[in-house]
């Protein structure tokens, strides 16, 4: 197999005036992931290359970066699937760079926390002294299940054109998680959760570009979550009832 030309964007904000691309030649093997190529370059060519990873199996969400121009997980992207003999690795957009391919996800997790990503209950006594489980039926679970697969890698937010222009916009990940918990029939905190999102920098800033859903490595559709959240706010009903209401809606007949 021919060697792989691996171009890495190098940038240390504490030292460098601007980012630069540095190319490394890496021996290629079948099934090699981009993360493995990066680690080869770091371990055998330049120990100072900054790259973040942990699980190596698309579970922890640490290795998000832009690969050949598209946000991807480095551990989940095989060199072969990219085609050609060269790979370009850059840090994710919409985040500050800590070093090279490592970005600062602080604001991302802050926005995630702001939507209260947990089931909120008002029965404090039951929670303090539980007498039974909080059950959810399979068909009710199916409405939110895909959103539970989010691994918080930040790829969706890096692809979002609205985040790029409005730093106060919560972003697709946080909004999809807001929907995930608000639509859960066991949750009682929807009104409070939605209050701050139904605002100038909230859900209405999403113009449904869909790039978040396009890049999600776990098959989550955050754009759908945002639209369902909008529907919930417009209908004024809990998401499961809003769904029923939308079925009753009839689009006006167009004149021909
Ligand atoms: Fe955990 Fe890639 S290293 S998702």
């Amino acid at each position: 197999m021919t060697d792989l030309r691996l171009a890495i964007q190098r940038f240390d904000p504490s030292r460098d005036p601007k980012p630069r691309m540095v190319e490394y030649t890496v021996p290629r093997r079948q099934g090699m992931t981009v993360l493995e190529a990066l680690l080869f370059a770091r371990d055998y060519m330049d120990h100072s290359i900054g790259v973040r990873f942990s699980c190596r199996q698309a579970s922890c969400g640490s290795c998000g970066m832009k690969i050949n121009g598209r946000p991807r997980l480095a551990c989940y992207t095989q060199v072969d699937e990219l085609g050609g003999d060269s790979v370009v690795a850059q840090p994710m957009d919409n985040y500050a760079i800590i070093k090279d391919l490592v970005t600062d996800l602080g604001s991302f997790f802050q926005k995630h926390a702001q939507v209260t990503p947990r089931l909120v209950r008002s029965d404090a006594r039951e929670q303090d002294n539980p007498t039974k489980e909080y059950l959810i039926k399979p068909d009710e679970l199916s409405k939110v299940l895909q959103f539970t697969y989010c691994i918080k890698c930040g790829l969706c937010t890096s692809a979002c054109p609205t985040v790029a222009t409005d730093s106060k916009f919560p972003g697709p990940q946080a909004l999809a998680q807001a929907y995930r918990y608000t639509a859960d029939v066991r949750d009682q905190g929807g009104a409070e959760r939605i209050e701050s999102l139904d605002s100038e920098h909230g859900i209405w800033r999403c113009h449904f570009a869909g790039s978040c859903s396009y890049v999600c490595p776990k098959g989550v559709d955050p754009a759908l979550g945002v639209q369902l959240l909008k529907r919930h706010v417009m209908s004024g009903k809990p998401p499961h009832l809003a769904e029923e209401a939308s079925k009753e809606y009839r689009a006006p007949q167009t004149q021909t």
Side-chain angles (χ1 to χ4, degrees), residues 113 148 155 220:
T148 69
L155 293 186
V220 181

Side-chain angles (χ1 to χ4, degrees), residues 197-229:
L197 301 177
D198 181 14
S199 61
E200 184 187 353
H201 298 282
I203 46 176
W204 310 110
R205 291 281 282 130
C206 168
H207 51 81
F208 205 19
S211 48
C212 52
S213 303
Y214 180 65
V215 303
C216 177
K218 305 303 282 188
V220 181
D221 188 352
L224 173 66
V226 182
Q227 304 316 304
L228 292 174
L229 209 52

Side-chain angles (χ1 to χ4, degrees), residues 35 52-63 73-76 151:
L35 180 62
R52 179 170 55 207
F53 67 99
S54 181
C55 70
R56 303 185 190 214
Q57 54 173 18
S59 294
C60 73
S62 301
C63 67
L73 294 178
C75 73
Y76 194 54
I151 59 170

Side-chain angles (χ1 to χ4, degrees), residues 19-256:
R20 67 193 191 285
M21 298 303 295
V22 180
E23 195 169 296
Y24 304 86
T25 302
V26 172
R28 184 174 174 172
R29 64 166 182 77
Q30 194 173 16
M32 179 181 231
T33 65
V34 172
L35 180 62
E36 288 172 324
L38 289 167
L39 295 182
F40 185 94
R42 188 198 65 174
D43 294 347
Y44 297 104
M45 297 169 176
D46 186 344
H47 294 325
S48 72
I49 295 172
V51 55
R52 179 170 55 207
F53 67 99
S54 181
C55 70
R56 303 185 190 214
Q57 54 173 18
S59 294
C60 73
S62 301
C63 67
M65 63 184 68
K66 215 161 59 172
I67 298 171
N68 288 7
R70 176 182 159 171
R72 305 172 197 255
L73 294 178
C75 73
Y76 194 54
T77 305
Q78 292 195 5
V79 170
D80 291 345
E81 76 188 74
L82 298 171
D85 295 323
S86 63
V87 168
V88 178
Q90 295 171 288
M92 288 190 287
D93 292 330
N94 295 346
Y95 301 104
I97 298 172
I98 295 175
K99 186 172 186 291
D100 300 336
L101 303 172
V102 182
T103 43
D104 183 355
L105 296 184
S107 64
F108 171 80
F109 285 113
Q110 205 174 15
K111 288 174 177 175
H112 173 72
Q114 278 169 356
V115 302
T116 322
R118 60 181 180 276
L119 296 178
V120 175
R121 301 285 304 184
S122 55
D123 49 356
R125 190 179 298 177
E126 173 67 18
Q127 288 183 74
D128 290 342
N129 297 291
T131 59
K132 58 185 186 305
E133 293 174 76
Y134 293 109
L135 298 175
I136 184 169
K137 295 176 187 160
D139 63 320
E140 294 167 337
L141 178 64
S142 68
K143 296 194 170 87
V144 298
L145 186 61
Q146 66 150 308
F147 302 106
T148 69
Y149 295 146
C150 171
I151 59 170
K152 303 169 195 67
C153 59
L155 293 186
C156 59
T157 298
S158 81
C160 175
T162 304
V163 172
T165 55
D166 182 355
S167 61
K168 293 182 181 163
F169 179 61
Q173 191 276 342
L175 292 177
Q177 290 308 299
Y179 177 76
R180 178 260 174 272
Y181 288 98
T182 304
D184 192 306
V185 292
R186 298 165 295 182
D187 182 77
Q188 296 172 329
E192 204 174 317
R193 192 178 289 114
I194 294 300
E195 197 178 348
S196 65
L197 301 177
D198 181 14
S199 61
E200 184 187 353
H201 298 282
I203 46 176
W204 310 110
R205 291 281 282 130
C206 168
H207 51 81
F208 205 19
S211 48
C212 52
S213 303
Y214 180 65
V215 303
C216 177
K218 305 303 282 188
V220 181
D221 188 352
L224 173 66
V226 182
Q227 304 316 304
L228 292 174
L229 209 52
K230 288 178 182 172
R231 184 173 68 180
H232 163 52
V233 173
M234 289 296 285
S235 70
K237 295 181 179 179
H240 55 288
L241 297 180
E243 190 169 330
E244 293 306 312
S246 74
K247 285 180 192 162
E248 294 160 12
Y249 174 75
R250 296 279 180 277
Q253 297 294 309
T254 47
Q255 300 290 324
T256 53

